[in-house]
Amino acid sequence: MLFRSVVKQTAFAVLIVDQFEMVSTRLRELLGETVKVTYAKTSMVARQYVDERNFDLILVDTELPNVDLAGLVESLKRLKPDIPIVGIYMRDVPNAFSDAMRLKFAGHVYKPFHKAELEVLYDEFLFSRDVKVVSIKGPTLTALTPIMQIGRAHV
């Protein structure tokens, strides 16, 4: 984690859309000061925040009541097409990967959150956006090539 703090001194901005605020609190606890978390309880508030603010990542709970998830994802992408949107699933959802692909999420993560999974999410969607390709007298090294893929929907 030391290398990350040298490369990126400011916090990443993450929007979490979930009906329960404790989910965003847990995310803050696990990722600490490297991530500034903004919480939206409804899809309407999420759209407003995305329209008015800049985020590096959006996490959307797939169990939001009375929400057309496909419509929400589409509208958020229309507002800010370059922000990756990741679905949050309960651990017992057997078809999370195919559902994430159907909804056109950039990936998915399970709750309750586990630090190791969030670190992979951090590396893939946040940290790698600020890391540049580096050449050290020989082959090119890149931090953009993940060693393992956890929850990444390749669409």
Side-chain angles (χ1 to χ4, degrees):
M1 198 72 115
L2 175 63
F3 179 70
R4 290 183 193 150
S5 63
V6 170
V7 175
K8 179 76 174 176
Q9 294 295 325
T10 59
F12 291 105
V14 174
L15 173 64
I16 185 162
V17 187
D18 196 297
Q19 61 182 327
F20 302 110
E21 189 171 7
M22 67 183 168
V23 175
S24 65
T25 302
R26 180 70 177 143
L27 185 67
R28 277 187 204 99
E29 290 170 358
L30 290 171
L31 290 178
E33 296 175 11
T34 59
V35 175
K36 179 181 185 268
V37 178
T38 300
Y39 168 70
K41 185 173 184 162
T42 67
S43 59
M44 188 170 72
V45 172
R47 286 182 187 99
Q48 179 183 347
Y49 284 168
V50 170
D51 189 41
E52 297 171 352
R53 304 176 188 183
N54 292 317
F55 295 100
D56 298 296
L57 178 67
I58 300 170
L59 299 173
V60 177
D61 180 26
T62 57
E63 298 292 323
L64 287 170
N66 305 315
V67 173
D68 168 22
L69 281 177
L72 174 60
V73 172
E74 184 179 312
S75 67
L76 295 175
K77 285 183 177 186
R78 222 176 306 119
L79 289 169
K80 302 276 176 79
D82 295 333
I83 302 174
I85 303 171
V86 172
I88 305 171
Y89 290 84
M90 294 301 294
R91 290 201 178 272
D92 60 353
V93 174
N95 61 342
F97 183 78
S98 60
D99 192 59
M101 289 180 63
R102 179 184 62 80
L103 291 167
K104 298 183 178 161
F105 285 127
H108 68 282
V109 66
Y110 293 102
K111 64 179 179 181
F113 296 128
H114 292 284
K115 189 165 178 72
E117 293 169 345
L118 287 177
E119 286 177 350
V120 171
L121 185 79
Y122 177 98
D123 285 344
E124 186 147 352
F125 292 108
L126 296 176
F127 179 68
S128 65
R129 296 176 97 194
D130 281 0
V131 175
K132 307 298 181 226
V133 175
V134 178
S135 180
I136 307 173
K137 292 188 180 183
T140 301
L141 305 174
T142 178
L144 301 177
T145 307
I147 295 171
M148 60 185 204
Q149 300 281 329
I150 295 181
R152 177 71 181 212
H154 295 281
V155 286

